[in-house]
């Protein structure tokens, strides 16, 4: 095992690439190998007692996870009050691919991205390492098109990121139902659930289940797959934060993904199975018929990719765009929650608006939401209206601002202010 470096002299610092949950990321030159690298500077001050020595040991263990679909952790060294993690430099990430309106993803391209994600997951799970915070911006893309899982194990080693932190607002959308119900004894299934959400997002070109609170996230999941019966998920009712939801039947999955093949729907359903014990594993998913039949996954080097990262451009501005869902006040988990249809009860958005994952509500001639209207105006389940709006279609154009949009932007601004106050308090 390679030893931790004791000096930062090996690296020549370049531009800032961005800032994430754990700290700032810089581009740098590794003078030992002449390679371009990315240095993630983790602020130890943020962790009151610093990073425990066991955590350092575990970070070193991550260096042993050698796989073409896992980002290489090249080096780890302390510097002043920071811990610096040195990774191979990556050109882009899956979030940028999904959001790029100039990129058309064929089913072979989607299959390729999914195959690489699952290969990386299978390797980590084999070594008993969980990611726990998988999302499209943690799936980085190298110059040769290889997708690599990043930030593996950090959530566990450095502690759960604060969900109120701006960067973490999106992460809820990929959380497995057992985590949302407060399970402490979760396993590899949490990563498979997240991978299933990413698969759905690749097909829809927008985040699949966009909850605005943990309660709302579960509501979105149940609206898409039906409220689980105890027979479907026997352990559910004994989970720490379990609350009962009004029964809601599942709409046909086909109606949410009209363009998907039967095999794509089948593997998706197996990844998004409620009971983690029955959820497919990464290895089983790789052996699923979906990957064995035509079309074959696109060779990574041929995959469509967005232009390379602009030098010195950090991501936070994008993260803080109006696309961020509003985090509402904590729900009272003790009370019985009633949910849609018709938007009755539950912790849905105070305005009744359903986030599209894009800056503004989508306009759609086929009965989807338009600005100023809520899905419940149509008397339908918000999720299915939302999904049908853009499923398999081009991303809708941005409509002009109306009063709904203005009130949304105001709430967004309020949230940004709250977050910046929080950061000031924490001296982040
Ligand atoms: N290995 C890398 N190569 C190139 N850029 C990177 C690398 N790792 C991170 N970045 C970039 O640095 C920025 C911050 O990354 P970081 O992983 O800290 O947070 P994030 O992925 O933006 O958000 P989160 O903390 O929620 O995962 C992002 O723009 C990210 O794409």
């Amino acid at each position: 095992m390679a030893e931790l470096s004791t000096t930062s002299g090996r690296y020549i610092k370049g531009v800032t690439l961005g800032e994430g949950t754990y700290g700032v990321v810089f581009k740098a030159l590794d003078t030992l190998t002449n390679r371009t690298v990315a240095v993630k500077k983790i602020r130890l001050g943020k962790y009151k007692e610093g990073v425990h020595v066991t955590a350092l040991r575990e970070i070193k263990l991550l260096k042993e996870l050698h796989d073409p679909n896992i980002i290489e952790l090249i080096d780890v060294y302390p510097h002043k009050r920071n811990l610096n993690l040195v990774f191979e430099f990556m050109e882009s990430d899956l979030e940028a691919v999904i959001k790029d309106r100039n990129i058309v993803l064929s089913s072979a391209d989607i299959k390729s991205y999914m195959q690489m994600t699952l290969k990386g997951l299978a390797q980590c799970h084999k070594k008993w390492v969980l990611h726990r915070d998988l999302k499209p911006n943690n799936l980085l893309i190298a110059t040769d098109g290889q997708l690599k899982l990043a930030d593996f194990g950090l959530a566990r080693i450095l502690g759960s990121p604060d969900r109120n932190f701006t960067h973490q607002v999106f992460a809820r959308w990929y959380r497995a139902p057992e985590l949302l119900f407060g399970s402490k004894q979760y396993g590899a299934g949490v990563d498979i659930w997240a991978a299933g959400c990413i698969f759905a997002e690749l097909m829809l070109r927008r985040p699949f289940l966009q909850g605005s609170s943990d309660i709302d996230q579960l509501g979105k999941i149940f609206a898409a797959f039906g409220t689980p019966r105890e027979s479907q998920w026997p352990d559910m009712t004994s989970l720490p934060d379990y609350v009962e939801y009004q029964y809601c039947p599942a709409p046909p999955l086909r109606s949410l993904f009209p363009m998907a093949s039967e095999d794509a729907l089948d593997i998706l359903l197996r990844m998004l199975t409620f009971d983690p014990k029955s959820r497919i594993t990464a290895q089983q998913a790789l052996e699923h018929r979906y990957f064995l039949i035509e079309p074959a996954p696109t060779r990574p080097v041929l995959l469509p990719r967005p232009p390379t990262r602009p030098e010195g451009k950090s991501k936070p501005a994008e993260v803080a765009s109006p696309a961020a869902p509003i985090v509402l006040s904590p729900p009272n988990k003790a009370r019985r929650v009633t949910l849609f249809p018709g938007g009755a009860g539950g912790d849905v958005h105070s305005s009744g608006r359903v986030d599209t994952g894009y800056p503004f509500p989508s306009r759609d001639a086929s009965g989807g939401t338009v600005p100023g209207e809520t899905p419940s105006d149509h008397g339908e389940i918000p999720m299915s209206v939302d999904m049908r709006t853009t499923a398999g279609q081009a991303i809708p154009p941005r409509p002009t601002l109306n009063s709904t949009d203005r009130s949304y932007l105001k709430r967004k601004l309020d949230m940004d202010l709250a977050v910046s106050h929080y950061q000031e308090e924490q001296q982040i």
Side-chain angles (χ1 to χ4, degrees):
M1 183 188 293
E3 284 308 306
L4 296 184
S5 303
T6 49
T7 170
S8 58
R10 175 174 163 184
Y11 306 99
I12 300 173
K13 194 167 145 184
V15 294
T16 304
L17 291 166
E19 185 171 1
T21 312
Y22 301 111
V24 183
V25 181
F26 298 101
K27 193 170 183 177
L29 178 72
D30 182 350
T31 55
L32 202 69
T33 58
N34 227 12
R35 268 170 86 183
T36 303
V37 292
V39 181
K40 187 171 279 197
K41 196 165 119 184
I42 294 171
R43 290 167 294 236
L44 296 186
K46 208 174 134 198
Y47 305 92
K48 293 266 181 308
E49 279 115 43
V51 172
H52 198 265
V53 68
T54 344
L56 287 174
R57 264 191 221 120
E58 287 197 43
I59 286 176
K60 278 179 77 180
L61 276 179
L62 296 182
K63 291 173 81 173
E64 304 302 294
L65 285 175
H66 295 297
D67 188 86
N69 298 116
I70 299 172
I71 193 161
E72 185 191 349
L73 175 58
I74 299 167
D75 194 10
V76 182
Y77 64 91
H79 183 60
K80 295 184 183 160
R81 283 187 55 73
N82 303 315
L83 182 69
N84 290 0
L85 307 186
V86 184
F87 293 100
E88 56 181 313
F89 179 80
M90 302 290 280
E91 193 179 81
S92 190
D93 60 56
L94 199 64
E95 186 190 15
V97 171
I98 291 170
K99 282 188 171 172
D100 191 324
R101 293 164 191 232
N102 296 315
I103 289 180
V104 176
L105 290 175
S106 69
S107 36
D109 299 339
I110 294 175
K111 198 178 277 190
S112 177
Y113 279 128
M114 279 316 292
Q115 192 178 48
M116 292 190 279
T117 304
L118 288 165
K119 277 183 178 173
L121 277 182
Q123 177 63 10
C124 290
H125 293 170
K126 212 164 89 185
K127 306 241 166 137
W128 302 103
V129 181
L130 305 187
H131 192 293
R132 226 182 61 165
D133 206 22
L134 203 64
K135 49 195 170 178
N137 65 341
N138 279 335
L139 299 176
L140 303 185
I141 298 171
T143 13
D144 61 359
Q146 280 290 340
L147 175 146
K148 295 176 192 242
L149 274 55
D151 282 356
F152 233 100
L154 288 191
R156 197 174 80 78
I157 297 168
L158 299 173
S160 257
D162 187 333
R163 298 280 150 197
N164 293 327
F165 197 67
T166 324
H167 300 273
Q168 283 302 317
V169 174
F170 295 97
R172 175 183 300 115
W173 300 341
Y174 308 92
R175 298 203 96 199
E178 64 269 28
L179 288 178
L180 294 162
F181 274 143
S183 170
K184 304 276 182 291
Q185 280 149 0
Y186 51 83
V190 299
D191 291 338
I192 299 297
W193 181 276
C197 294
I198 293 168
F199 184 26
E201 189 166 333
L202 279 164
M203 292 192 271
L204 298 170
R205 300 298 292 270
R206 64 200 306 218
F208 178 34
L209 304 162
Q210 302 173 49
S212 58
S213 63
D214 286 1
I215 288 277
D216 185 43
Q217 185 65 36
L218 282 160
K220 292 282 193 299
I221 294 171
F222 299 159
F225 297 105
T227 316
R229 305 268 193 205
E230 220 175 331
S231 56
Q232 255 176 295
W233 186 8
D235 299 334
M236 170 178 68
T237 51
S238 41
L239 291 174
D241 298 335
Y242 171 73
V243 280
E244 191 183 351
Y245 280 72
Q246 191 180 53
Y247 179 72
C248 136
L253 199 56
R254 163 71 56 217
S255 68
L256 308 182
F257 301 93
M259 311 295 279
S261 69
E262 283 305 316
D263 290 306
L265 287 186
D266 187 77
I267 190 172
L268 180 70
L269 207 55
R270 288 173 196 274
M271 285 198 267
L272 298 176
T273 291
F274 286 125
D275 187 349
K277 286 184 184 147
S278 316
R279 211 171 287 154
I280 198 167
T281 66
Q283 192 52 47
Q284 286 165 347
L286 286 167
E287 288 157 18
H288 188 277
R289 208 179 111 87
Y290 168 71
F291 288 111
L292 307 178
I293 59 155
E294 294 286 315
T298 308
R299 280 172 46 216
V301 73
L302 300 177
L303 283 168
R305 270 171 287 149
T308 47
R309 298 172 194 281
E311 286 278 309
K313 256 251 164 94
S314 63
K315 242 182 168 178
E318 194 189 328
V319 171
S321 78
I326 308 301
V327 178
L328 303 174
S329 51
N332 176 4
K333 292 198 172 177
R335 76 185 156 84
R336 184 190 165 102
V337 180
T338 51
L339 267 175
F340 353 95
D347 290 277
V348 288
H349 299 260
S350 52
S351 66
R353 180 184 178 279
V354 174
D355 281 313
T356 61
Y358 288 101
F360 302 101
S362 51
R363 185 184 290 279
D364 175 57
S366 64
T369 52
V370 296
E373 260 181 342
T374 67
S376 52
D377 291 339
H378 298 264
E380 291 182 75
I381 299 170
M383 175 61 59
S384 48
V385 172
D386 234 358
M387 290 304 130
R388 255 177 280 141
T389 306
T390 52
Q393 293 173 18
I395 292 158
R398 291 178 174 193
T400 49
L401 279 183
N402 67 11
S403 60
T404 311
D405 300 327
R406 272 193 292 272
S407 93
Y408 173 59
L409 288 176
K410 186 180 172 304
R411 284 186 293 129
K412 174 73 187 68
L413 205 66
D414 288 345
M415 184 189 132
D416 285 347
L417 276 174
V419 168
S420 76
H421 285 154
Y422 168 78
Q423 288 174 340
E424 267 167 34
E425 269 170 29
Q426 302 293 312
Q427 295 177 320
I428 291 168

